[in-house]
Amino acid sequence: MRKKIVAGNWKMNKNYNDACSLISGIIDELRKSTISKEQQIILAPPFPFLQVAVSRTEEIEYISVAAQNCHSEEKGAFTGEVSAQMIRSTGTEYVIIGHSERRNIFKESNEFLSKKIDIVMKNGLFPIFCCGELLPEREKGNHFAVVKNQLDESLFHLSEKEIGNVIIAYEPVWAIGTGVNATSEQAQEMHAYIRKLISEKYNQQIADRSVLLYGGSCNAKNAKELFANPDVDGGLIGGASLITQDFVTIVNSF
Ligand code: PGA
């Protein structure tokens, strides 16, 4: 059975004390919930809080920690950047790669993201690879082609063994932080398409095992409907991951 994953992308929010309170609140609330064996909860705080997130959750099997980004090079003169190896050394297991804010604000190209994927794999981290189209691309009917291109250019050079360790998050850019989520049908349609691409590039078994998350205004109200789709294995949550009760309600939406 595929894992069911809810990942919280905190983006550039919270200070140290607020981050500690949010982590503790989530841990306490999840302890009151029934978490199945297939479920994984991933917290992606900003870099300065990775260590505390890891130390507070390492005893809890169903909670893992992700970084929101890493640099494409191993080490060196890259002032202000953080390497995959540094992230791994904190005990962090996952890294979000290719979030639309990295693509659009920081101009990260598919080619650059492909290098990040390689360095992440090399350092034993699991990527959460984000893909998704802009509004004009959907309006022109190009959304499938855009997502295919993102996967082709950044991800599909991986070996069969490696691709099995990647989580893919479909996040239509027009849905991120807007309050307008993709409909259940739109999410399912794109997830089924991504799974088909994986089966064509690799094989059906790998496609069937791949975890595909939906992201973009997924919240406590709509998570149940989105997660009920056969190809939606959970969510990458932005805004709603900053509020303990909302995040836990989303976790409990399977
Ligand atoms: P949102 O963000 O849930 O606030 O729309 C999702 C994301 O950017 O990962």
Side-chain angles (χ1 to χ4, degrees):
M1 188 161 193
R2 282 198 294 271
K3 281 238 167 221
K4 294 172 185 297
I5 295 181
V6 172
N9 173 13
W10 296 7
K11 308 193 181 184
M12 199 175 73
N13 292 295
K14 305 285 176 193
N15 60 28
Y16 183 81
N17 288 335
D18 295 340
C20 291
S21 306
L22 183 55
I23 295 163
S24 305
I26 289 171
I27 292 172
D28 291 347
E29 287 304 311
L30 288 178
R31 285 216 166 101
K32 295 183 213 153
S33 311
T34 312
I35 307 292
S36 73
K37 273 206 172 66
E38 295 82 43
Q39 273 182 280
Q40 193 71 33
I41 293 101
I42 302 176
L43 306 179
F47 287 131
F49 317 141
L50 284 178
Q51 186 85 70
V52 70
V54 168
S55 68
R56 293 200 180 189
T57 59
E58 61 196 346
E59 303 291 302
I60 309 169
E61 218 183 313
Y62 54 80
I63 305 182
S64 302
V65 176
Q68 298 172 16
N69 179 33
C70 75
H71 192 53
S72 60
E73 299 293 330
E74 194 78 64
K75 63 175 182 173
F78 301 100
T79 302
E81 291 297 322
V82 175
S83 73
Q85 196 259 330
M86 291 171 190
I87 293 167
R88 188 72 195 102
S89 72
T90 66
T92 298
E93 291 176 87
Y94 294 85
V95 188
I96 299 172
I97 296 291
H99 190 279
S100 68
E101 287 146 22
R102 301 294 320 171
R103 293 174 184 270
N104 298 325
I105 304 169
F106 300 99
K107 307 292 173 216
E108 296 191 359
S109 65
N110 288 343
E111 191 192 353
F112 187 53
L113 296 174
S114 161
K115 283 194 189 165
K116 290 195 183 196
I117 288 286
D118 289 342
I119 205 91
V120 163
M121 304 299 308
K122 192 173 161 202
N123 283 279
L125 288 156
F126 302 114
I128 301 172
F129 179 78
C130 301
C131 57
E133 79 285 356
L134 300 164
L135 185 57
E137 292 167 337
R138 178 162 280 267
E139 286 172 341
K140 281 195 214 121
N142 287 344
H143 42 296
F144 292 117
V146 167
V147 168
K148 180 176 188 303
N149 194 46
Q150 290 170 337
L151 297 173
D152 277 341
E153 292 189 357
S154 304
L155 212 55
F156 281 175
H157 63 286
L158 293 178
S159 69
E160 288 189 2
K161 192 163 169 257
E162 288 171 327
I163 196 81
N165 287 328
V166 179
I167 296 170
I168 297 175
Y170 169 58
E171 300 205 303
V173 183
W174 47 269
I176 296 178
T178 59
V180 182
N181 59 288
T183 63
S184 192
E185 292 74 24
Q186 287 170 325
Q188 168 57 27
E189 186 183 38
M190 184 59 87
H191 283 227
Y193 176 69
I194 293 171
R195 210 177 292 287
K196 181 167 89 68
L197 292 177
I198 299 169
S199 80
E200 285 167 2
K201 179 73 196 172
Y202 297 92
N203 60 54
Q204 193 60 48
Q205 203 187 19
I206 290 177
D208 287 342
R209 273 201 246 121
S210 296
V211 175
L212 308 182
L213 308 183
Y214 168 77
S217 296
C218 182
N219 59 36
K221 290 205 176 87
N222 59 28
K224 215 179 185 71
E225 193 190 335
L226 286 160
F227 296 175
N229 288 294
D231 288 296
V232 177
D233 305 312
L236 179 55
I237 318 298
S241 74
L242 299 170
I243 304 157
T244 304
Q245 202 48 61
D246 286 9
F247 186 65
V248 172
T249 302
I250 296 170
V251 170
N252 290 326
S253 297
F254 288 108

